Amino acid sequence: GVVGFFATALYARFLPQEILKLSPIFTSSWISLLMIPVAYIFFVIDSFIVVALMHLGLRIFKGQGTFTQTFQVFVYSFTPTFLFGWIPILGILASIWTFILEIVGFATVHKVSRWRAFFGMILIPAIIFILIFGAMLVLGVGIGLLAKFAAR
């Protein structure tokens, strides 16, 4: 997730290359093995963030469930992806099944229609995506204009 991405970027940025040359324990395969527990820790943190955003969206669409119920549906419905997500074709099918399970589960615990559950799930992440994409677009255009004027 987002937290894991930034943690990996920081880890890669601040680990001095000299350390990597000192010992075989710092080879990429060992680092990969050491990152497995870290990845699970960040997965849990990221899950709380994602569930909070989904819960907010579901509440906007008149959902009545609690945060605990939202978290339970998220965790239970994620099981197919967690178990089969690493298998190439089966992983895609597991992700689709996870999405369907989330919609049905959220609709049930929040006592809303499946359409409201669907839109409640994607509302806040979609808004965040649009804002980030818009900011990147504005930043890119701004840098392009600065480069154009600086070249004159």
Side-chain angles (χ1 to χ4, degrees):
V2 176
V3 176
F5 170 77
F6 285 113
T8 304
L10 287 173
Y11 177 78
R13 169 66 179 94
F14 293 110
L15 186 66
Q17 294 299 316
E18 295 79 25
I19 291 178
L20 294 175
K21 296 175 187 173
L22 291 178
S23 171
I25 196 168
F26 291 111
T27 62
S28 61
S29 58
W30 279 102
I31 290 174
S32 297
L33 287 175
L34 294 173
M35 289 302 290
I36 291 172
V38 174
Y40 280 102
I41 291 168
F42 283 118
F43 172 76
V44 170
I45 294 168
D46 192 42
S47 295
F48 278 103
I49 295 169
V50 168
V51 170
L53 295 175
M54 285 184 181
H55 185 71
L56 177 62
L58 289 161
R59 297 296 288 195
I60 290 171
F61 279 91
K62 308 294 185 207
Q64 299 173 5
T66 64
F67 180 82
T68 303
Q69 290 173 317
T70 305
F71 193 80
Q72 287 173 337
V73 168
F74 177 79
V75 171
Y76 292 146
S77 64
F78 196 77
T79 302
T81 300
F82 194 70
L83 293 176
F84 304 111
W86 58 276
I87 302 171
I89 305 267
L90 194 56
I92 294 169
L93 297 174
S95 296
I96 293 168
W97 186 243
T98 293
F99 192 69
I100 292 168
L101 289 174
E102 285 178 337
I103 292 170
V104 172
F106 289 145
T108 303
V109 300
H110 284 275
K111 297 178 179 70
V112 295
S113 70
R114 290 183 181 160
W115 282 109
R116 283 183 182 249
F118 169 76
F119 287 115
M121 275 175 50
I122 66 168
L123 176 69
I124 304 298
I127 290 171
I128 291 171
F129 174 79
I130 290 168
L131 290 173
I132 290 172
F133 182 75
M136 289 171 47
L137 185 65
V138 168
L139 187 63
V141 169
I143 290 172
L145 289 173
L146 284 173
K148 182 178 179 181
F149 287 123
R152 287 185 181 184

